[in-house]
Amino acid sequence: MKPKSILLKQRGVLPGFGLTMGFTIFYLSMVILIPISMIFIKTASMSWDQFVGAVTSPRAMAAYYLSFTASFIAAMINGIFGIIVAWVLERYNFPGKRIIDGLLDLPFALPTAVAGITLTAIYSSNGWFGQYLEAIGIKAAYSPLGVVIVLTFVGLPFVVRTLQPVLHDFDKEMEDAAASLGANRWQTFTKVILPELLPALLTGFVLAFARGLGEYGSVIFIAGNMPMRTEITPLLIMIKLEQFDYAGASAIAAVFLLASFTLLLLINLLQRRKNLVRA
Amino acid sequence: MKFKKTVLTALAVILALGLAHSALAQKEITLLNVSYDPTREFYQEFNATFVKYWAEKTGQTVTIRQSHGGSGKQARAVIDGLEADVVSLALAYDVDAIARGELISEKWQSRLPDNSSPYFSTIVFLVRKGNPKNIKDWDDLIKPGVSVITPNPKTSGGARWNYLAAWGFALKRWGDEAKAKDFVAALFKNVPILDTGARGSTTTFVERGIGDVLLAWENEALLAINTLGKDKFEIVIPSLSILAEPPVSVVDAVVDRRGTREVADAYLRYLYTEEGQILAGKHYHRPRLESVAAKYEGQFPKVNLFTIDQLLGGWPEAQKKHFGDGGIFDQLYQPNK
Amino acid sequence: MGKLSMPMNTTIAARATLNAGIGGGQESKLFRWALIAIATAFLGLFLFAPIIAVFAKALEKGLSVYFSAITEPDAQAAIRLTILTAAITVPLNLCFGVAAAWAITKFDFFGKNLLITLIDIPFSVSPVISGMIFVLLFGAQSLLGPFLTAHNIKIIFAVPGIVLATIFVTSPFIARELIPVMQAQGSEEEQAAISLGASGWQIFWRVTLPNIKWGLLYGVILCNARAMGEFGAVSVVSGHIRGLTNTMPLHVEILYNEFQFVAAFSVASLLTILALVTLAAKNFVQKKSRQRFITSPVEGIDYSGVQL
């Protein structure tokens, strides 16, 4: 952070504050703030009992439960495999490494509808992988497992991309020191390397989790959308909208928004902690 | 401030482009037909035929757009501003709802022949080949272990016909509303998934392989059989079903504003001509015109039908009693794990 | 506040030297290859199989079916609408991003952190909610509804609604890329220019822009990808009129629901190509600028705190 005096001086020197600030505020209000406030305005039109009834109905509770557990499991999978992938990409050389590294961000760039129909095609009972899973009695598509699969896909890059730079900058001398003190490789990893990775791992995990929570496009194709069983919260909002129950949709959306904002806050806190640790 | 100028110029250009775009769009005649789910294939072909007919008759080129979804959802979209010139929905109540929104004249149903429904249909069962659960009639649907697929009556017109057909069957069989309520409650206990539209349910049953029996429009069931394979599914006709009359209407407020009344009206009337009726029959809707109906006789088995007026006192009453907020359907349907 | 003050310029070159030093690690060869096998198997299941599957399904019935699926009028209309949406969205968000980054990084003012958080909001909002807010605002049943109907202004279930929802969803991308880049750059050069008598516009054009052009381009690439691929938000406001208000992702859904799987995957393959081109462009910009940008993810969350 620069000393405040310099920054304050700048306002007098550089032009354009009024224009850029004015435009920014105007645009933010028109495009973001006014529209999003509609959720809360609409929700406020309900009585307290109606609100509680809408957000705690068994169907809504089942939807929150699925959204949270599926996102959590998917983030766990991404956490575990993310460590391996990041490790392999940063520490080893093998053919195809650069292609993998380049394509890793695909889940960010691929439209979610495409991801949805494709993963459904692969994991449904007559798909490439689905048929083998079916043979051993596992139903992948149109079950909660399907939700986990697509959420694993959409959250895949987060952990890898947060871990890579930390692994990269990791001080090899500490590893060598541990080894010279008699630690074996596994001990070195769990006692020396992993603690250093932990803040980044946690950040990647929460990012993947938050991403999974809001996901809609890819999930609706694979989930089967059965009420109480495979209906995620964004889909329930959509169904309420289609029934033109705007107030009910807004109520659930408001609850969901608060959850996402909390996660956003958590991510920022983690980030600050991580920066402190690294500083 | 040059930057400001550039930004403003950019905005102006975008605005101008937008206006030019809409001005261009207004030059040609377009019609938007907002329809329910299982009419996609029918209207696709019908539109092409009508466009040709209209060009020959008047020399005008008309472009017809389609939007499909659950009937109730589509009606609400029209009320909410989806600019439909004509609606062709699954049931009269949904058109009534638009009429109550003051977009359609209250007398719409008497403006065209046959209650404004140029074709009719009914509800049948689609089961997997060989009928492994041996489903013959409505009362087989409430047996334990039978999984029934039907869309959500709150959003889908077909689903409301399904529900009322079941209700009517129970009422006729036991002659008692309480029994009918129990029957329909038991039926919905066997429903694992409610899609928003009939097409979604068909996909669930046919593609996803969920469920033992699909309650479907006859036209949707025939379409599924004929496009996806006679070796996979078969149709079961229940002992009693409902006469389903999907109505059509011009949306007065929209056609008057857009100046499309003449072509919209001609479009709907063309549904009643021989060409229109043949296409309806071809896409498995039962034609009204005797001559065409005779031609498709082999396709449509005889079904014992009751009407909504006979057993349920007409649409407004049925809608309010069964599908309103807190209505019988809300009381009955408690989705379970 | 740590977010803005982080160093941004780990150069590729520096990474390369580091890489050379690291070598192969100390694990046994067997273990190393086992890990590589696990990693590639995981990515194979979740990353490569889908890419291959899109093209395999699209080309299942041969090239001519593929081409007729993507040249059919409704598909063409969807492609045009997708391009139109991006063509309106990206420039507007570009103006917004530049203005916001300029205000935030060149001046000090009360509530700066709040402003940054507000810019981030769309990242943390589920796409369905992003779409529904515009229905609540402009639908016929809303406060504005009667006015809009009376003046024959169509927003919801028409192109303006699609554009608005897309602008909302993609508004943070460019701002989020530029803020850290301009922060790291500081304003010394601009101040030098102004002491030499340059006008504000000259400073931006000659001094600031050359410094931030790669960051800008990076943001534009990501913004464009999301604008073209957005599904949930657009699905709520579209009305699904074939040939009129269907974007490519919505067209994919409709085809899929009509059992036209080959056609659905054909249009999906175009979007996949777009995604691959986006990744290639992104990697190119990263390489060219010798910087690692904040890999802003395409959806759902503020990723900018991640230090790269």
Side-chain angles (χ1 to χ4, degrees):
Chain A
M1 211 60 252
K2 290 177 181 22
K4 219 171 170 98
S5 58
I6 298 182
L7 284 169
L8 278 178
K9 237 190 281 167
Q10 283 172 19
R11 185 185 297 197
V13 180
L14 285 180
F17 181 74
L19 173 72
T20 54
M21 195 65 190
F23 181 69
T24 303
I25 301 281
F26 169 76
Y27 196 88
L28 262 182
S29 312
M30 296 307 283
V31 170
I32 297 174
L33 300 181
I34 294 178
I36 206 129
S37 63
M38 293 307 296
I39 297 272
F40 298 100
I41 293 174
K42 194 80 194 174
T43 309
S45 75
M46 304 171 91
S47 74
W48 178 249
D49 287 346
Q50 282 174 325
F51 175 77
V52 172
V55 300
T56 61
S57 72
R59 194 168 169 189
M61 297 303 270
Y64 307 142
Y65 179 76
L66 176 68
S67 282
F68 277 90
T69 44
S71 305
F72 188 83
I73 295 171
M76 286 296 278
I77 295 173
N78 277 325
I80 293 162
F81 286 94
I83 298 175
I84 298 175
V85 172
W87 182 270
V88 161
L89 286 179
E90 282 302 317
R91 292 295 176 96
Y92 305 151
N93 279 318
F94 57 94
K97 175 172 144 170
R98 291 187 52 162
I99 297 175
I100 289 182
D101 200 30
L103 282 177
L104 199 68
D105 287 327
L106 186 82
F108 291 159
L110 193 69
T112 53
V114 178
I117 63 167
T118 311
L119 287 162
T120 309
I122 297 176
Y123 287 95
S124 67
S125 56
N126 46 12
W128 291 353
F129 302 151
Q131 55 182 313
Y132 301 110
L133 291 171
E134 180 100 341
I136 54 171
I138 299 173
K139 207 166 159 46
Y142 318 123
S143 75
L145 178 62
V147 181
V148 173
I149 289 173
V150 288
L151 294 186
T152 306
F153 174 81
V154 295
L156 192 140
F158 287 100
V159 171
V160 182
R161 288 297 190 225
T162 44
L163 282 182
Q164 266 181 314
V166 186
L167 263 179
H168 192 102
D169 298 342
F170 191 77
D171 192 355
K172 283 284 280 184
E173 279 174 23
M174 280 172 68
E175 285 174 54
D176 295 339
S180 69
L181 289 170
N184 65 26
R185 199 61 193 140
W186 179 245
Q187 284 170 327
T188 310
F189 180 77
T190 53
K191 296 271 164 61
V192 180
I193 304 176
L194 200 58
E196 282 287 305
L197 293 183
L198 217 52
L201 184 62
L202 204 57
T203 308
F205 176 84
V206 178
L207 285 169
F209 177 72
R211 173 71 165 83
L213 217 49
E215 178 58 22
Y216 170 76
S218 51
V219 180
I220 55 162
F221 290 99
I222 204 168
N225 309 332
M226 288 169 252
M228 309 295 289
R229 237 171 76 70
T230 59
E231 188 175 77
I232 53 164
T233 313
L235 177 70
L236 182 60
I237 295 173
M238 188 71 159
I239 287 174
K240 294 252 173 211
L241 280 178
E242 291 188 340
Q243 296 180 359
F244 289 82
D245 177 6
Y246 284 172
S250 304
I252 294 173
V255 169
F256 212 55
L257 270 183
L258 289 180
S260 336
F261 289 158
T262 312
L263 277 172
L264 196 69
L265 205 71
L266 183 67
I267 291 162
N268 282 347
L269 282 177
L270 276 172
Q271 214 46 53
R272 207 175 297 179
R273 257 188 68 116
K274 197 178 101 193
N275 285 345
L276 280 180
V277 168
R278 301 191 75 201
Chain B
M1 208 47 0
K2 263 187 175 176
F3 184 64
K4 190 174 178 179
K5 235 181 181 169
T6 315
V7 170
L8 288 177
T9 319
L11 287 175
V13 166
I14 289 159
L15 202 69
L17 277 175
L19 287 177
H21 187 76
S22 51
L24 213 72
Q26 265 160 17
K27 248 191 218 158
E28 56 190 79
I29 306 174
T30 57
L31 276 188
L32 172 60
N33 177 2
V34 170
S35 190
Y36 61 113
D37 248 339
T39 55
R40 294 161 199 258
E41 293 77 11
F42 164 55
Y43 276 112
Q44 212 163 7
E45 192 168 352
F46 176 79
N47 291 347
T49 317
F50 176 76
V51 166
K52 220 157 86 199
Y53 158 81
W54 191 251
E56 273 165 24
K57 194 179 161 209
T58 65
Q60 288 171 330
T61 317
V62 54
T63 311
I64 299 164
R65 311 272 189 208
Q66 281 298 131
S67 170
H68 295 275
S71 181
K73 173 191 154 193
Q74 294 289 76
R76 292 305 312 246
V78 172
I79 296 169
D80 242 27
L82 180 57
E83 202 165 43
D85 299 276
V86 301
V87 289
S88 49
L89 296 175
L91 39 86
Y93 180 80
D94 287 334
V95 185
D96 283 337
I98 304 175
R100 270 201 309 283
E102 294 181 351
L103 297 171
I104 294 179
S105 152
E106 265 171 45
K107 285 174 286 182
W108 66 270
Q109 203 157 18
S110 55
R111 291 194 295 203
L112 289 167
D114 299 314
N115 289 328
S116 283
S117 50
Y119 40 81
F120 65 104
S121 189
T122 185
I123 301 300
V124 299
F125 305 162
L126 190 67
V127 297
R128 306 205 180 274
K129 189 72 192 174
N131 198 354
K133 294 275 166 109
N134 197 25
I135 292 156
K136 293 268 189 276
D137 205 350
W138 290 100
D139 45 357
D140 293 318
L141 302 181
I142 60 167
K143 286 182 179 157
V146 173
S147 167
V148 183
I149 303 298
T150 172
N152 182 353
K154 292 259 183 177
T155 52
S156 156
R160 273 174 274 174
W161 290 115
N162 291 346
Y163 171 104
L164 293 175
W167 184 273
F169 166 84
L171 210 57
K172 225 162 185 177
R173 158 97 30 127
W174 294 291
D176 175 352
E177 281 225 342
K179 288 261 175 58
K181 206 167 156 180
D182 291 345
F183 174 78
V184 177
L187 198 164
F188 274 90
K189 273 229 163 58
N190 281 346
V191 177
I193 165 169
L194 288 177
D195 288 289
T196 51
R199 184 50 60 87
S201 283
T202 311
T203 313
T204 299
F205 183 77
V206 168
E207 294 293 327
R208 302 179 185 171
I210 298 173
D212 302 309
V213 52
L214 172 74
L215 307 187
W217 290 97
E218 182 184 50
N219 49 291
E220 185 79 349
L222 284 166
L223 175 75
I225 282 207
N226 287 316
T227 55
L228 295 156
K230 290 190 166 75
D231 51 334
K232 288 189 192 138
F233 308 100
E234 49 189 79
I235 289 177
V236 172
I237 309 277
S239 66
L240 179 73
S241 196
I242 195 162
L243 170 70
E245 295 185 308
V248 297
S249 175
V250 297
V251 182
D252 298 273
V254 175
V255 293
D256 289 343
R257 188 165 64 227
R258 299 186 64 228
T260 47
R261 181 176 286 279
E262 189 195 355
V263 58
D265 210 46
Y267 175 76
L268 293 185
R269 289 190 183 276
Y270 194 65
L271 285 166
Y272 290 89
T273 63
E274 196 174 340
E275 291 82 5
Q277 293 283 297
I278 287 174
L279 286 178
K282 186 177 162 198
H283 290 277
Y284 318 115
H285 296 83
R286 296 190 177 216
R288 295 280 190 183
L289 211 63
E290 295 288 340
S291 56
V292 180
K295 189 177 158 213
Y296 284 101
E297 214 166 23
Q299 185 172 296
F300 302 113
K302 288 258 177 302
V303 186
N304 189 9
L305 297 176
F306 67 89
T307 71
I308 183 157
D309 294 333
Q310 284 167 357
L311 285 182
L312 295 135
W315 264 117
E317 180 169 343
Q319 175 75 24
K320 196 168 142 235
K321 186 166 159 189
H322 293 275
F323 309 120
D325 271 331
I328 296 179
F329 176 73
D330 274 353
Q331 300 161 26
L332 295 179
Y333 184 67
Q334 298 296 339
N336 51 330
K337 284 208 173 191
Chain C
M1 192 55 245
K3 263 199 222 164
L4 284 183
S5 52
M6 65 202 178
M8 275 291 310
N9 315 334
T10 318
T11 60
I12 298 273
R15 290 175 64 84
T17 29
L18 273 168
N19 261 334
I22 282 171
Q26 296 158 309
E27 294 81 23
S28 73
K29 202 167 181 184
L30 187 69
F31 187 71
R32 222 183 298 165
W33 283 105
L35 277 187
I36 293 174
I38 292 173
T40 40
F42 173 70
L43 295 176
L45 275 177
F46 284 100
L47 200 61
F48 298 112
I51 305 179
I52 299 164
V54 172
F55 294 102
K57 296 267 170 193
L59 296 170
E60 213 170 59
K61 298 218 173 117
L63 271 174
S64 64
V65 178
Y66 177 82
F67 282 114
S68 71
I70 58 178
T71 53
E72 170 256 341
D74 284 342
Q76 290 287 310
I79 294 171
R80 275 198 304 275
L81 178 61
T82 302
I83 293 173
L84 175 76
T85 306
I88 299 174
T89 304
V90 176
L92 283 176
N93 282 337
L94 183 65
C95 293
F96 168 67
V98 171
W102 183 271
I104 285 170
T105 60
K106 303 295 179 198
F107 306 99
D108 200 22
F109 54 90
F110 177 74
K112 191 190 261 191
N113 280 341
L114 179 70
L115 186 63
I116 296 170
T117 313
L118 291 180
I119 292 174
D120 273 350
I121 283 182
F123 274 158
S124 65
V125 173
S126 178
V128 172
I129 300 178
S130 312
M132 96 180 246
I133 54 180
F134 291 99
V135 177
L136 295 179
L137 192 59
F138 295 116
Q141 306 302 302
S142 72
L143 233 53
L144 289 173
F147 172 83
L148 295 174
T149 323
H151 293 80
N152 197 14
I153 302 170
K154 282 186 288 176
I155 294 183
I156 296 307
F157 307 127
V159 176
I162 293 172
V163 172
L164 275 174
T166 310
I167 287 179
F168 176 91
V169 170
T170 58
S171 60
F173 280 100
I174 295 170
R176 235 44 201 91
E177 289 306 327
L178 285 185
I179 291 171
V181 172
M182 282 169 72
Q183 187 82 24
Q185 224 94 53
S187 2
E188 285 80 8
E189 291 182 45
E190 280 87 354
Q191 287 177 29
I194 212 154
S195 67
L196 293 173
S199 75
W201 184 240
Q202 280 173 326
I203 294 175
F204 176 74
W205 200 241
R206 303 252 174 87
V207 180
T208 312
L209 197 61
N211 279 333
I212 61 166
K213 63 178 186 222
W214 292 115
L216 197 75
L217 194 58
Y218 194 83
V220 166
I221 291 168
L222 294 180
C223 181
N224 179 63
R226 181 66 191 278
M228 289 189 163
E230 178 52 28
F231 174 78
V234 170
S235 160
V236 179
V237 295
S238 139
H240 304 276
I241 309 168
R242 291 191 78 134
L244 201 63
T245 62
N246 272 335
T247 61
M248 285 166 81
L250 296 179
H251 193 60
V252 169
E253 187 202 18
I254 287 197
L255 290 171
Y256 188 81
N257 284 342
E258 288 179 356
F259 314 125
Q260 302 186 40
F261 296 118
V262 173
F265 279 100
S266 302
V267 180
S269 76
L270 295 181
L271 289 167
T272 310
I273 292 170
L274 172 76
L276 294 173
V277 170
T278 300
L279 289 185
K282 195 173 79 90
N283 290 337
F284 172 78
V285 168
Q286 256 170 3
K287 213 170 180 175
K288 197 83 188 162
S289 65
R290 320 193 92 217
Q291 265 184 351
R292 260 182 101 90
F293 290 106
I294 295 157
T295 314
S296 196
V298 175
E299 176 167 321
I301 201 69
D302 169 17
Y303 195 50
S304 50
V306 178
Q307 199 165 351
L308 288 177

